[in-house]
Amino acid sequence: MTNTTLHRPGCADAVAPTGGLIVDCLDVRLLDSRRGPRTLVQNVGFDLAAGTTLGIVGESGSGKSLTAKSIIGLLPKGLVASGSIRLGQRELVGAPERDLRALRGTSISLVMQDPFTMLHPLQTVRATLAESLDPRTRRDRARRDQEIERRLDEVGIQPAIADKRTFELSGGMRQRVGIAAALARDPQLLIADEPTTALDAGTQKEVLALLGRLQRSRGMSLILITHDLNVAFAACDRIMVMYAGTMLESGPSEALKHAPRHPYTRGLLNAAPPLTHVVDRLDAIPGTVPAAHEVLGQCAFASRCDLVVDACRTQRPPLRRLDDGHTSACLRTDQLDTTTPREPRGGDAVIAQPRPATVPLVKVENLSKAYRSTAITGRHRVFHALHDASFEIGEAEAVGLVGESGSGKSTLARCLMGLTTPDTGRIGLGGLDATDFSKLSLQQRRDAYRTVQIVFQDPYSSLNPKLTIGAALEEAVRVRGGHRTEVPGLLEQVGLPGDYAQRWPRALSGGERQRVAIARALALRPRLLICDEPVAALDVSVQAQILELLRSVQSATGMSTLFITHDLAVVRQMTSRVLVCFEGRIVESGATSQVLDDPTHPYTRRLRDAALLGARDAA
């Protein structure tokens, strides 16, 4: 039984119990004097009792973060919230900024997706936590240090870490420090906005377990915002599914997991790649999330739903209460199949296998790389990113490279691209010695870049914001000696309309920008495509679209791929062979099915077991 329920509409003058939250009839509008006000979030409502957890799930653009920012009073300039948000006896909508500022940290606190944006990179952990403490505690040095040590212990960090600077910490450790800072003044409500996105399975499991333990021990309310339903299932009492600024479904986690009552929720579940077997096709939801103001008078999901009827396009379905504690905004709930989504499907996806070759496309021998730092800390430190790494990639072979953050995966990719020069070892690339790009002639360097291209995790950082999509692709085509007439074909190859050539990167969604980044890499017709966490930060449905795109491109072009990821389910679907990287060393390699089903190295077993446990928690 849970005390987290959907609050009835009507903006009633209700008072939440101590530590509890009531959100009622919440709307968020953009005030634009040229085009008039535009609705971004409409009629969101729920109750959250003290000590309970609510997951808010949906794709990018669904209104999750705007709902959270409304609660804590941090909406961007030009956005206005209306309706009611009550924390205990306090009404937060319309409250003066000075009152909201006094509540932040003490009554409501926020943990962001990337703690590095909240933590000063050159500040020590001790200084970061001291800033978050009550001023009276900060003024007493002995009491302050004692409290910092206690807060670090609460999130599982040794006291010695207090004197490290935040840039020296791993992603998971930074997230722990961010949580400790957010809880330093014992808030009644913690909002965690995508706290595990792009973390490896082991670190993700640790962060979720930490949040759950802290929430239970403190009797604190928790709102967990995520685009991953499996993360919500593992951590939340109840889940609210949002889409295009509105609520589509709400219910207890167990009920939502085994019998979703809205087509959108079911689509999100089906889009997640399975860990235990290869499927012939990943089930992406077609299309993209529309703007909220464009679908006010209809079912927001109508344009992407395979159960749509005329009535769905002429009215906004109300949230209806169902027998199992669910609410669903679907006119055809009774026709929806409520059995467990997608039974395991066997099948053999077309994953490229190596072609017999006298000389492999890539041959890496005894590669090592160390980084040295003395400038900021004043102490000489050496970090060994790679130790004696050796492997080969054949023609048309799909190879995975897996490991936790800091294991050396990206350093290896940078060495292959010539962006980093290894200290020792050798890199053979298509018969060319590409160990040190600075020693190559201009023609050899061009040949190397035509042989290997890369797609990064964040496509926006790899696209020039001052160039249209067409200009960016034309620039890449010219490097190969091609013609601008190839641009429409490149866009078509990655599933985008030709008129996208006139658009700017800022006007595209994350998935569309990733498609453009792939098209730009393909413009040089490389023999090897390195994919460095290309779907780590994408919504699960967009992730399925991009993975299917990469499968089809690989099959059509016969190029090799090196797929770098921390997600073992993605490795299962995308590769025929896998390398496991741990502390800069390749500790295990072999056929993907063999390594994932029967790992021999303890580290690989730990990765596999953490991923399987996460899958079982969501099953």
Side-chain angles (χ1 to χ4, degrees):
M1 182 176 179
T2 176
N3 293 318
T4 308
T5 60
L6 178 73
H7 190 61
R8 70 179 187 276
C11 303
D13 189 18
V15 176
T18 302
L21 176 74
I22 290 180
V23 177
D24 208 351
C25 298
L26 175 65
D27 288 1
V28 178
R29 291 183 174 86
L30 170 65
L31 302 182
D32 189 326
S33 58
R34 292 174 300 174
R35 291 180 288 182
R38 284 190 292 166
T39 298
L40 303 180
V41 172
Q42 186 181 41
N43 199 30
V44 169
F46 58 88
D47 297 357
L48 181 64
T52 61
T53 305
L54 173 70
I56 303 181
V57 176
E59 296 173 272
S60 299
S62 64
K64 308 184 303 296
S65 292
L66 286 181
T67 299
K69 289 176 180 177
S70 300
I71 294 171
I72 201 168
L74 290 176
L75 284 173
K77 185 178 180 180
L79 271 60
V80 176
S82 61
S84 176
I85 302 173
R86 287 184 172 272
L87 184 67
Q89 298 182 355
R90 291 165 292 193
E91 175 60 60
L92 305 186
V93 173
E97 172 59 24
R98 64 178 179 275
D99 293 347
L100 293 173
R101 191 181 301 118
L103 292 176
R104 294 180 196 129
T106 57
S107 296
I108 308 175
S109 203
L110 178 68
V111 174
M112 302 294 287
Q113 173 178 333
D114 182 4
F116 210 60
T117 60
M118 295 191 302
L119 307 177
H120 194 299
L122 303 184
Q123 198 172 50
T124 65
V125 172
R126 185 184 304 279
T128 297
L129 291 183
E131 287 182 348
S132 303
L133 295 173
D134 183 274
R136 291 170 296 181
T137 303
R138 287 202 302 267
R139 287 193 288 268
D140 185 330
R141 184 169 184 175
R143 186 180 170 192
R144 180 200 64 192
D145 289 346
Q146 184 180 19
E147 185 67 7
I148 288 172
E149 185 173 331
R150 185 173 77 86
R151 297 295 180 177
L152 289 175
D153 179 68
E154 188 177 38
V155 297
I157 295 179
Q158 297 296 321
I161 299 296
D163 294 317
K164 285 183 174 289
R165 288 170 169 78
T166 55
F167 83 93
E168 299 178 281
L169 306 180
S170 67
M173 193 69 77
R174 283 200 299 266
Q175 195 61 284
R176 288 173 180 267
V177 172
I179 292 170
L183 297 181
R185 298 181 72 178
D186 301 313
Q188 300 168 337
L189 169 65
L190 178 65
I191 301 173
D193 192 355
E194 299 278 9
T196 62
T197 296
L199 295 179
D200 56 81
T203 307
Q204 181 183 91
K205 176 174 172 287
E206 291 173 0
V207 170
L208 290 177
L210 172 63
L211 284 172
R213 177 170 56 80
L214 293 173
Q215 182 255 335
R216 289 188 297 272
S217 65
R218 291 163 166 260
M220 177 179 65
S221 304
L222 174 65
I223 295 177
L224 177 65
I225 297 172
T226 178
H227 62 255
D228 190 338
L229 267 170
N230 289 335
V231 168
F233 291 150
C236 300
D237 302 317
R238 191 174 180 91
I239 294 173
M240 181 174 76
V241 180
M242 293 189 68
Y243 182 84
T246 189
M247 297 168 57
L248 294 187
E249 184 171 5
S250 175
S253 292
E254 285 297 311
L256 212 74
K257 177 165 52 178
H258 297 296
R261 305 300 292 274
H262 196 284
Y264 177 60
T265 310
R266 190 176 185 81
L268 289 178
L269 288 168
N270 285 344
L275 172 64
T276 56
H277 60 283
V278 177
V279 294
D280 53 358
R281 184 170 181 82
L282 295 165
D283 297 324
I285 303 174
T288 57
V289 180
H293 70 276
E294 296 176 349
V295 291
L296 292 178
Q298 62 176 359
C299 172
F301 189 59
S303 63
R304 303 173 73 187
C305 182
D306 55 8
L307 294 178
V308 65
V309 294
D310 289 343
C312 301
R313 298 189 177 95
T314 58
Q315 59 180 300
R316 172 62 62 89
L319 277 167
R320 294 187 297 160
R321 292 186 182 275
L322 307 174
D323 294 338
D324 56 357
H326 259 95
T327 59
S328 177
C330 181
L331 297 178
R332 304 195 67 193
T333 299
D334 295 339
Q335 286 78 43
L336 183 66
D337 180 8
T338 59
T339 57
T340 302
R342 193 176 64 185
E343 295 299 327
R345 284 187 294 139
D348 297 314
V350 180
I351 297 174
Q353 303 294 327
R355 295 173 181 168
T358 305
V359 179
L361 177 60
V362 176
K363 187 170 184 178
V364 174
E365 298 176 283
N366 310 115
L367 213 63
S368 296
K369 178 66 181 178
Y371 295 99
R372 296 165 179 83
S373 173
T374 57
I376 297 174
T377 64
R379 298 188 296 271
H380 179 73
R381 295 188 177 184
V382 178
F383 170 65
H384 293 278
L386 286 176
H387 295 274
D388 201 30
S390 299
F391 65 92
E392 296 181 356
I393 301 176
E395 291 279 2
E397 186 179 19
V399 176
L401 180 62
V402 302
E404 295 171 315
S405 299
S407 61
K409 306 186 304 295
S410 292
T411 298
L412 190 49
R414 291 177 63 83
C415 289
L416 290 175
M417 285 295 300
L419 301 175
T420 295
T421 302
D423 298 329
T424 60
R426 182 183 181 278
I427 299 173
L429 193 61
L432 176 69
D433 185 345
T435 309
D436 187 346
F437 273 50
S438 66
K439 295 180 179 179
L440 300 179
S441 67
L442 180 59
Q443 185 58 50
Q444 286 175 324
R445 201 173 298 127
R446 286 175 176 170
D447 291 343
Y449 284 131
R450 288 172 186 166
T451 300
V452 59
Q453 283 291 298
I454 190 167
V455 177
F456 292 102
Q457 176 175 332
D458 180 12
Y460 197 70
S461 62
S462 62
L463 297 174
N464 189 336
K466 296 184 179 180
L467 291 180
T468 64
I469 300 307
L473 295 180
E474 184 180 338
E475 181 182 64
V477 167
R478 282 202 306 267
V479 170
R480 182 175 47 77
H483 193 268
R484 61 187 302 178
T485 55
E486 296 180 34
V487 169
L490 283 170
L491 288 171
E492 182 181 354
Q493 189 176 12
V494 296
L496 293 175
D499 61 6
Y500 269 51
Q502 309 305 318
R503 300 195 181 190
W504 300 89
R506 63 178 177 271
L508 305 186
S509 67
E512 288 171 335
R513 285 199 293 265
Q514 195 62 286
R515 288 173 183 267
V516 172
I518 293 170
R520 190 169 181 268
L522 295 178
L524 277 77
R525 297 178 184 170
R527 296 167 66 188
L528 171 67
L529 182 65
I530 300 174
C531 301
D532 191 0
E533 300 278 12
V535 297
L538 298 179
D539 300 322
V540 64
S541 182
V542 180
Q543 172 181 290
Q545 293 175 9
I546 297 300
L547 294 179
E548 275 301 311
L549 168 63
L550 288 169
R551 274 182 173 183
S552 64
V553 167
Q554 185 185 29
S555 177
T557 63
M559 69 180 178
S560 302
T561 55
L562 177 63
F563 211 100
I564 301 172
T565 180
H566 61 258
D567 191 332
L568 298 189
V570 169
V571 167
R572 173 79 78 172
Q573 305 306 315
M574 298 301 296
T575 67
S576 59
R577 188 163 58 89
V578 65
L579 312 170
V580 182
C581 202
F582 175 58
E583 295 184 348
R585 301 180 186 274
I586 296 176
V587 296
E588 187 166 358
S589 64
T592 301
S593 58
Q594 179 182 351
V595 171
L596 295 188
D597 294 339
D598 188 23
T600 59
H601 194 277
Y603 175 68
T604 312
R605 285 199 295 271
R606 180 160 66 86
L607 284 181
R608 193 274 310 268
D609 291 347
L612 283 175
L613 182 59
R616 282 198 297 269
D617 287 343

